[in-house]
Amino acid sequence: MKTIETDIAVVGSGVSGLLAAWRPLLGGSRVTMLERGALKTHAEQLQSGTWAADVPGAQPNDETAPGTPFYPWSYVYGVGGSSLHWSGATPRFSAADFKMNSSFGVMVDWPLSLEQLLPFYRGAEAALGVAGAPGGGGGAAGPPVPGTRSQPAHPLSPIDRAIAPHLEPFGPLPQARPSEAVGDRPPCCGSATCQLCPVDARFSALNGLAPILEHPRLQLLPETVAARLRLDSGGRVEAIEAIGPDRRPLLVRAERFVLAANGIENPAILLRSDLNGPAVGRYLFDHGHTTLTARLRRPLKPGYGNTLSTGISEAFREGEFRARRSGAILSPFNPGTPISPLLGEAVAARVPGEEARAEAVDRWRRTLPLDMLTEDVPRFERRVSLSPNKDSFGLPLNRTAYPPPGPYETDGIEHVTRELRRRLAPLGVESVEAAPGPRGGHLMGTCRIGSPGEGVVDADLRHNEVENLFVAGSSAFPTYGPVHPTLTIAALALRLGELLGAEA
């Protein structure tokens, strides 16, 4: 069996794994990074219209648990991970998001505060080239990644300016879609096709963290599947048992190990390694987006804006109500609602051609689409387990159980829907409808921070039972807040990198 000796072994080559590796690399450590998928350049992604290379390890490896509803999990196995296909929104957690139990008597508190994470948020905003970071970004935690910096905010769009007075506090949406060129990344082109950016502006690990990927002390092993962790007699991890591109077994020995895969694969690796504590794989969570569609009597100006979304309303984010129902954030969708269904309705009603077009355009101008994110109480029954069915490598498929949202979240959605009718009355609101939006992209909570028995890792992301094992990424989140997770993932990774560098 081929054996590789290294200082730190990292599973996963996305934002979390790469940022956690940066400080140790600068300190002289050797880092070996295992990635199930392959390296697929941005040009190759554009040519094929897909993010992942056509290799066995890049295939989705989850299934739905019997007797539970299907849920459309969305992730990428490949160099860069899910940074290859995200849209780029990067708001920070609020102070209350870290202290839900202390603040509102629900859920649990993080053993970290916003104040403690703030320098790492600033470092993450610089590393990702975030436009509109609070306070303009500023310094960084530890050494900055070369060629990166925070960005000025995108200007508010006409839709933003029309609704902002009615949905305050309202301001620029922090996002990793640059407003100015940063390194080789041009400014956002405004195409509104962010998940596969046509000009490679939106941050990905490939265009933003190339200095890490190309570092001489980083050994990247694409098309290499981490099968399980091998523990020694003292209860420490001594190696990763892996399957290489040639389907032959591979052993990676190291002093420290970091699981930085997604929120489904991280717990699966632990379970395959018989590290199956009571919280492993539990409290799975996603932000299921909700699309709110407001029909108005007054026309707005959709179709304008520097990028897909430029504003964010926090009118429903904070308050004592979070003891009873979810907080929420809302972002207007600058391209407007899709016009083809409106045109189809007019044609189906036998409206003549030019008149149908004029009617559809008029309705499009009077329709306000809002993307809403909410939160739910973490639930033990939402989980990842191992299936008796195998993937092409002979490993168990990852089985997910994800029951529908509870009243904490649904009550929050219903409240915002009702309240929008009142707040938008000056714009002549006729109706507000809520419908499911995109879902499956935020895989969180399956290896959460907490004490032994209640959690999997401690505040430093160190496994509660295995001293030289760390679990990074959003799987460590004990609560989630109503905001996108990527910036917090990056901040926690930078913080972990400081610890790994100091220990090395």
Side-chain angles (χ1 to χ4, degrees):
M1 180 187 299
K2 181 180 177 181
T3 300
I4 294 174
E5 301 282 348
T6 190
D7 297 317
I8 300 173
V10 180
V11 178
S13 63
V15 170
S16 186
L18 288 168
L19 288 180
W22 182 233
R23 186 58 179 262
L25 287 168
L26 292 186
S29 294
R30 298 166 301 159
V31 178
T32 298
M33 187 168 285
L34 291 71
E35 170 56 57
R36 287 181 64 104
L39 173 61
K40 187 173 186 179
T41 67
H42 181 258
E44 291 169 338
Q45 294 171 42
L46 286 178
Q47 184 176 21
S48 67
T50 58
W51 302 283
D54 186 16
V55 299
Q59 302 304 312
N61 60 336
D62 67 279
E63 67 174 21
T64 302
T68 66
F70 169 77
Y71 197 79
W73 298 107
S74 175
Y75 50 86
V76 175
Y77 289 134
V79 177
S82 290
S83 77
L84 302 178
H85 83 150
W86 71 314
S87 62
T90 52
R92 298 174 181 174
F93 276 27
S94 70
D97 291 337
F98 293 100
K99 303 295 178 185
M100 289 297 291
N101 191 269
S102 298
S103 300
F104 308 115
V106 295
M107 309 188 204
V108 296
D109 287 352
W110 290 54
L112 297 170
S113 67
L114 175 61
E115 184 178 3
Q116 289 173 293
L117 207 57
L118 193 56
F120 301 100
Y121 268 140
R122 292 178 178 141
E125 286 155 352
L128 274 60
V130 170
V145 178
T148 56
R149 59 181 174 84
S150 54
Q151 296 266 311
H154 288 281
L156 296 181
S157 69
I159 291 180
D160 293 330
R161 294 194 297 271
I163 68 173
H166 311 289
L167 293 175
E168 293 180 339
F170 194 102
L173 172 68
Q175 54 191 290
R177 300 186 285 253
S179 55
E180 298 176 348
V182 52
D184 294 331
R185 295 162 57 195
C188 176
C189 67
S191 69
T193 53
C194 300
Q195 289 194 333
L196 189 50
C197 177
V199 298
D200 203 18
R202 189 264 297 134
F203 169 88
S204 79
L206 299 186
N207 67 20
L209 301 182
I212 305 177
L213 283 165
E214 297 166 2
H215 196 281
R217 282 189 292 277
L218 176 70
Q219 181 182 23
L220 179 63
L221 302 178
E223 300 183 58
T224 301
V225 177
R228 60 190 59 83
L229 305 172
R230 179 186 290 184
L231 275 66
D232 63 19
S233 58
R236 287 169 52 91
V237 180
E238 63 177 7
I240 298 173
E241 297 178 10
I243 303 169
D246 55 4
R247 296 287 181 136
R248 294 182 178 178
L250 171 68
L251 202 63
V252 180
R253 295 185 178 274
E255 289 298 316
R256 290 169 182 80
F257 298 81
V258 179
L259 300 185
N262 63 46
I264 292 178
E265 185 68 4
N266 275 346
I269 294 171
L270 293 177
L271 292 170
R272 295 199 297 264
S273 309
D274 293 327
L275 292 171
N276 50 0
V280 175
R282 299 288 186 168
Y283 306 104
L284 176 63
F285 190 79
D286 173 49
H287 285 123
H289 294 242
T290 300
T291 299
L292 297 174
T293 304
R295 309 286 184 185
L296 310 173
R297 288 189 290 274
R298 169 183 163 181
L300 299 176
K301 197 175 180 181
Y304 292 85
N306 277 29
T307 187
L308 180 71
S309 294
T310 42
I312 180 173
S313 167
E314 298 181 293
F316 308 101
R317 181 171 181 180
E318 300 290 1
E320 292 301 322
F321 67 84
R322 291 182 77 184
R324 306 179 306 278
R325 64 174 185 270
S326 170
I329 59 170
L330 299 129
S331 288
F333 186 58
N334 286 333
T337 195
I339 198 168
S340 54
L342 303 179
L343 188 60
E345 291 173 13
V347 171
R350 300 183 180 277
V351 177
E354 284 300 316
E355 186 179 341
R357 179 183 182 280
E359 181 179 306
V361 170
D362 175 66
R363 290 184 61 192
W364 173 69
R365 288 175 176 155
R366 293 186 296 105
T367 300
L368 168 65
L370 295 161
D371 179 45
M372 178 169 68
L373 261 65
T374 47
E375 61 188 328
D376 204 352
V377 176
R379 294 162 60 186
F380 189 75
E381 67 271 23
R382 285 178 166 175
R383 67 176 298 194
V384 174
S385 59
L386 298 181
S387 170
N389 302 315
K390 309 290 185 180
D391 65 13
S392 64
F393 297 94
L395 299 173
L397 288 172
N398 304 328
R399 177 170 281 181
T400 64
Y402 201 74
Y408 187 86
E409 184 169 20
T410 57
D411 288 354
I413 294 170
E414 291 170 3
H415 172 81
V416 174
T417 305
R418 291 193 303 269
E419 187 67 8
L420 272 179
R421 297 188 185 99
R422 184 184 69 81
R423 289 189 177 233
L424 297 179
L427 299 179
V429 65
E430 295 177 345
S431 65
V432 177
E433 298 176 355
R439 53 196 56 217
H442 298 170
L443 292 67
M444 301 180 283
T446 51
C447 301
R448 69 180 191 163
I449 296 172
S451 59
E454 297 181 354
V456 178
V457 297
D458 65 14
D460 292 327
L461 306 186
R462 191 190 304 271
H463 193 278
N464 283 326
E465 298 174 5
V466 184
E467 181 270 338
N468 67 334
L469 174 63
F470 301 83
V471 184
S474 59
S475 59
F477 289 13
T479 61
Y480 321 102
V483 298
H484 312 75
T486 300
L487 188 73
T488 303
I489 291 171
L492 289 172
L494 286 173
R495 185 174 181 270
L496 173 58
E498 292 283 303
L499 173 63
L500 292 172
E503 290 193 352

